[in-house]
Amino acid sequence: INTGLSSTNYNFEWFHDGTALANNTPSLTVNTPGNYSITATQLTSGCSTTTSTTISVSSAPIAGVLVNEPFQATQTIHVIIYNGSGDYEYALNNGSFQDSPYFTVQEPGEYEVIVRDKNFCGETRLVAHVINFPPFFTPNNDGFNDTWNVIGLPSHFNAKISIFDRYGKLLFQFNPKTSYWNGQYNNQPVPSTDYWFTIDYTDDKNNKHSYQSHFSLVR
C-alpha cells in the first residue's frame, strides 16, 4: 500500500483494523486481509489527513464437479469449491461467466467448466461428463440412428451394457467404449418394439453404479 508521499515531508501512522502498526514509512507491505488506514502529517504545517483501504484475499479455486440426475432429459452440472479464498464466477464451454455454480444441460457429452477468481488471481478448468441414451434408434442402414449406445460415458470408466427383450431374454452384451447394438440377435434383425437395458459401470473414484431403463427400436 503506497501513499505516494515522501518521508522527508511527512510523518506516517499505520493502522490495521484500528490497531496501530509499528511502521512509519510511506508504504506498507501486507499479507493479512482487513482494513488498513494511514494518517499522514505534514512536518512543516502539522496538518494531517487520514485515508483507508480494504485488503481481501484472492486465490485460484480448488474445485470439482458433480452431475446430478444422470440419464435424465435435463441434468445439472454443479461446481463445488473445496478450497480457495476469492470471489468466484463460472462459465460453461467458454460461454459467458455467471455467479451461480449450477448449469442446466440437455445434451449428453463432455463439458468444460471454467472457475475463476473475479480479481483475476487464478482459474481452474474442470471436465463434466453428462451421460444419457437415445430414446429410440432406427437400424435401417440409412446412415442415421442405425446403432444404439449410451452417450457421454467417459472412456476411462469400466462399463458393461446388457440388452433385453420385454420377456427378460438377454439379447446382447457389450462394452460401450468399443461396441454398440445394431438391433440384431444372432445376426438376425429383431422386431420394432421397446427393449430394456442395464448399464453397470465403475467411475474414476472406483464407485460402482447401475442403471436400467428402456428405449424403442423403430424400423
Side-chain angles (χ1 to χ4, degrees), residues 105-165:
V105 297
Q106 284 82 33
E107 294 296 325
E110 183 177 285
Y111 292 82
E112 182 183 56
V113 181
I114 303 175
V115 189
R116 75 179 183 187
D117 175 56
K118 291 183 178 180
N119 294 314
F120 303 103
C121 288
E123 70 176 31
T124 297
R125 292 177 178 260
L126 306 166
V127 175
H129 297 279
V130 175
I131 306 171
N132 212 335
F133 62 95
F136 70 92
F137 78 120
T138 57
N140 53 13
N141 296 317
D142 65 352
F144 299 96
N145 302 318
D146 284 331
T147 61
W148 186 92
N149 204 348
V150 168
I151 305 170
L153 195 72
S155 60
H156 58 279
F157 282 17
N158 183 24
K160 180 180 69 174
I161 295 177
S162 303
I163 307 291
F164 302 89
D165 66 13

Side-chain angles (χ1 to χ4, degrees), residues 1-3 14-18 21 28-30 32-39 50-56:
I1 308 172
N2 199 334
T3 64
W14 290 92
F15 299 87
H16 176 218
D17 290 336
L21 301 176
L28 181 69
T29 300
V30 301
T32 303
N35 181 267
Y36 289 85
S37 61
I38 170 72
T39 298
T50 300
T51 189
S52 64
T53 186
T54 300
I55 301 298
S56 59

Side-chain angles (χ1 to χ4, degrees), residues 7-205:
S7 57
T8 303
N9 302 318
Y10 292 88
N11 180 57
F12 303 96
E13 293 179 282
W14 290 92
F15 299 87
H16 176 218
D17 290 336
T19 301
L21 301 176
N23 188 294
N24 59 1
T25 59
S27 63
L28 181 69
T29 300
V30 301
N31 56 17
T32 303
N35 181 267
Y36 289 85
S37 61
I38 170 72
T39 298
T41 303
Q42 192 177 43
L43 297 178
T44 55
S45 68
C47 294
S48 64
T49 186
T50 300
T51 189
S52 64
T53 186
T54 300
I55 301 298
S56 59
V57 176
S58 293
S59 67
I62 299 174
V65 290
L66 289 177
V67 180
N68 301 327
E69 305 93 28
F71 298 100
Q72 300 304 307
T74 299
Q75 301 183 39
T76 303
I77 299 173
H78 178 200
V79 182
I80 301 174
I81 304 296
Y82 297 117
N83 201 353
S85 299
D87 187 10
Y88 299 119
E89 58 185 1
Y90 312 84
L92 187 68
N93 286 351
N94 291 314
S96 300
F97 280 89
Q98 63 182 43
D99 291 334
S100 172
Y102 296 92
F103 296 94
T104 300
V105 297
Q106 284 82 33
E107 294 296 325
E110 183 177 285
Y111 292 82
E112 182 183 56
V113 181
I114 303 175
V115 189
R116 75 179 183 187
D117 175 56
K118 291 183 178 180
N119 294 314
F120 303 103
C121 288
E123 70 176 31
T124 297
R125 292 177 178 260
L126 306 166
V127 175
H129 297 279
V130 175
I131 306 171
N132 212 335
F133 62 95
F136 70 92
F137 78 120
T138 57
N140 53 13
N141 296 317
D142 65 352
F144 299 96
N145 302 318
D146 284 331
T147 61
W148 186 92
N149 204 348
V150 168
I151 305 170
L153 195 72
S155 60
H156 58 279
F157 282 17
N158 183 24
K160 180 180 69 174
I161 295 177
S162 303
I163 307 291
F164 302 89
D165 66 13
R166 66 173 60 199
Y167 305 106
K169 179 180 179 180
L170 178 63
L171 303 179
F172 192 57
Q173 281 186 326
F174 63 100
N175 183 334
K177 295 184 292 185
T178 59
S179 187
Y180 49 80
W181 190 40
N182 61 3
Q184 295 186 7
Y185 174 66
N186 287 337
N187 295 321
Q188 296 298 318
V190 297
S192 297
T193 186
D194 281 0
Y195 291 89
W196 277 253
F197 77 94
T198 61
I199 178 170
D200 299 286
Y201 63 96
T202 304
D203 63 22
D204 49 5
K205 296 181 179 179

